[in-house]
């Protein structure tokens, strides 16, 4: 995980949970990895009462938490059981990500927080300027005609598959559907979106 993304998760978590109550409760990471930069290792979560990861990969034990093998489209977990659900770089690999979102909302307690990170598409001012400059070169104009109307996106990365990219509207209207939206942030280029919502 890019260090900027890891730090942004930490900051957004502390902003959304200023008293640390959710961070000290029961935490689930969808797409957890046996790595130092998995979200269950965020400094804000070190005092959590219970940390659990779920991944399609084989189960593993990590210092302070376990990662269970399971399909996030059908979590074998109780409803209204977690104070916090986090996930990063997972939904783009999920053929039916909307089922995973429904499961995340289901397992969250009322008042619980959902923090997600997804790859986005779209270009900032620098991308638009670059397209204009290259498009102004007569030799390149025809060759780059399609590129000039394209959007910048994170390269495809099959792990095992890569299906989706999300725009800011999707981040607000789909990823946070049914939740009280607390934050939608765009980071880096190509963009990534981090969203935070609270279950009513």
């Amino acid at each position: 995980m890019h260090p900027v993304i890891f730090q942004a998760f930490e900051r957004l978590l502390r902003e959304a949970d200023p008293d640390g109550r959710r961070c000290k409760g029961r935490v689930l990471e969808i797409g957890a990895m046996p790595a130092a930069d998995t979200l269950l290792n965020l400094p804000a979560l070190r005092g959590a009462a219970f940390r659990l990861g779920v991944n399609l990969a084989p189960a593993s034990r990590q210092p302070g938490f376990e990662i269970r093998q399971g399909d996030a489209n059908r979590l074998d977990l109780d409803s209204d059981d977690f104070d916090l659900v986090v996930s990063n770089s997972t939904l783009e690999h999920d053929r039916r990500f909307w089922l995973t979102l429904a499961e995340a909302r289901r397992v969250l307690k009322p008042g619980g927080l959902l923090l997600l990170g997804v790859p986005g598409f779209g270009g900032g001012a620098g991308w638009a300027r670059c397209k204009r400059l290259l498009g102004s070169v007569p030799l390149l104009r025809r060759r780059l005609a399609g590129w000039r109307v394209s959007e910048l996106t994170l390269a495809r990365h099959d792990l095992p598959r890569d299906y989706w990219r999300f725009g800011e509207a999707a981040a607000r209207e789909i990823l946070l559907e049914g939740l009280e939206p607390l934050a939608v942030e765009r980071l880096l280029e190509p963009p990534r979106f981090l969203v935070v919502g609270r279950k009513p």
Side-chain angles (χ1 to χ4, degrees):
M1 175 184 322
H2 194 289
V4 167
I5 300 297
F6 193 79
Q7 292 164 4
F9 265 95
E10 176 75 10
R11 177 180 48 77
L12 287 170
L13 185 52
R14 289 185 186 278
E15 289 171 2
D17 188 32
D19 63 3
R21 225 176 55 217
R22 298 295 173 199
C23 292
K24 292 181 184 126
R26 294 174 58 80
V27 180
L28 172 67
E29 181 180 359
I30 296 171
M33 300 293 290
D37 62 355
T38 199
L39 294 173
L40 290 173
N41 283 326
L42 285 167
L45 301 180
R46 288 192 183 126
F50 179 74
R51 293 181 287 167
L52 174 67
V54 174
N55 198 316
L56 290 173
S60 67
R61 285 204 146 290
Q62 303 300 309
F65 61 90
E66 71 173 294
I67 300 174
R68 293 182 190 165
Q69 186 173 25
D71 184 348
N73 290 174
R74 294 177 305 278
L75 291 170
D76 187 21
L77 300 168
D78 292 337
S79 297
D80 302 326
D81 195 32
F82 287 88
D83 298 284
L84 174 65
V85 175
V86 295
S87 183
N88 184 53
S89 296
T90 300
L91 295 181
E92 69 268 27
H93 302 289
D94 187 341
R95 277 190 288 179
R96 293 177 294 275
F97 72 87
W98 52 91
L99 297 176
T100 294
L101 289 172
E103 283 293 273
R105 288 189 292 266
R106 180 184 68 78
V107 302
L108 266 178
K109 293 177 182 178
L113 297 174
L114 176 68
L115 279 79
L116 301 171
V118 295
F121 59 85
W127 176 248
R129 189 170 37 256
C130 179
K131 290 194 295 186
R132 274 195 312 276
L133 284 172
L134 289 175
S136 69
V137 177
L139 220 94
L140 294 175
R141 189 175 299 126
R142 284 184 57 208
R143 190 176 285 276
L144 299 175
W147 180 77
R148 289 185 329 165
V149 297
S150 68
E151 293 290 337
L152 186 62
T153 185
L154 187 66
R156 222 172 109 248
H157 49 289
D158 285 343
L159 298 171
R161 295 286 182 258
D162 191 350
Y163 302 106
W164 309 103
R165 294 295 178 270
F166 301 85
E168 188 168 348
R172 288 184 189 287
E173 299 166 22
I174 297 171
L175 301 182
L176 293 176
E177 184 177 13
L179 302 173
E180 174 193 348
L182 301 179
V184 174
E185 283 198 14
R186 177 186 171 136
L187 301 164
L188 305 176
E189 267 324 310
R192 297 201 52 85
F193 289 100
L194 272 60
V195 301
V196 185
R198 178 178 286 119
K199 184 174 178 176

